[in-house]
Amino acid sequence: MAKHRPYICGIDAAMDVVGGKWKGLILWALHEGRRRTGELRRELPGVSEKMLIQQLRELEADGIVHREVYREVPPRVEYSLTERGVELNDALSPLSAWGQRHMPTIHAQREVTSRA
């Protein structure tokens, strides 16, 4: 196992867990309860199955997501937030609110920058 560098602060540790394009969106999608892989893929347009599974496994390894495998034919797998995952989602809620408030401005500024 590779040795991990020490974290500088709490933000550094938290961003290591939720970093990347899809992890925050996966957490958001799981806030209302259990989801199967296909349900998550439909809720997250643009994510490939490979990337979704990779991100879910990383969140599972970090203790944020629980993976439940049902021994059925065909096999069924459901994902849900752990207690730590719910706590992390609660911590991300103010960030989400900030994004909602500033989304039009952020979008407009990005449009201007992309044309320059």
Side-chain angles (χ1 to χ4, degrees):
M1 180 176 232
K3 188 174 181 181
H4 194 277
R5 66 172 176 74
Y7 292 116
I8 297 168
C9 64
I11 293 283
D12 189 19
M15 293 308 293
D16 192 29
V17 172
V18 297
K21 180 176 180 176
W22 300 107
K23 287 182 181 177
L25 298 174
I26 291 168
L27 289 170
W28 171 81
L30 291 173
H31 81 281
E32 290 185 3
R34 297 177 176 277
R35 296 283 189 276
R36 294 174 73 174
T37 309
E39 292 173 308
L40 286 169
R41 234 182 24 248
R42 283 189 294 278
E43 290 185 43
L44 305 172
V47 68
S48 69
E49 185 168 358
K50 178 183 175 184
M51 180 55 69
L52 177 60
I53 290 169
Q54 177 185 332
Q55 300 286 278
L56 285 164
R57 293 209 175 153
E58 289 176 15
L59 288 167
E60 183 183 9
D62 286 332
I64 304 302
V65 167
H66 172 72
R67 180 177 183 259
E68 184 75 32
V69 179
Y70 296 90
R71 305 288 178 206
E72 301 172 348
V73 178
R76 177 171 51 114
V77 178
E78 290 182 342
Y79 295 92
S80 60
L81 294 175
T82 63
E83 190 174 315
R84 286 176 58 196
V86 170
E87 185 180 354
L88 180 56
N89 245 1
D90 290 345
L92 291 172
S93 185
L95 183 61
S96 175
W98 181 90
Q100 282 292 113
R101 280 193 309 275
H102 297 284
M103 198 180 308
T105 306
I106 294 167
H107 181 72
Q109 288 173 325
R110 298 283 168 101
E111 285 292 315
V112 168
T113 303
S114 70
R115 282 187 245 141

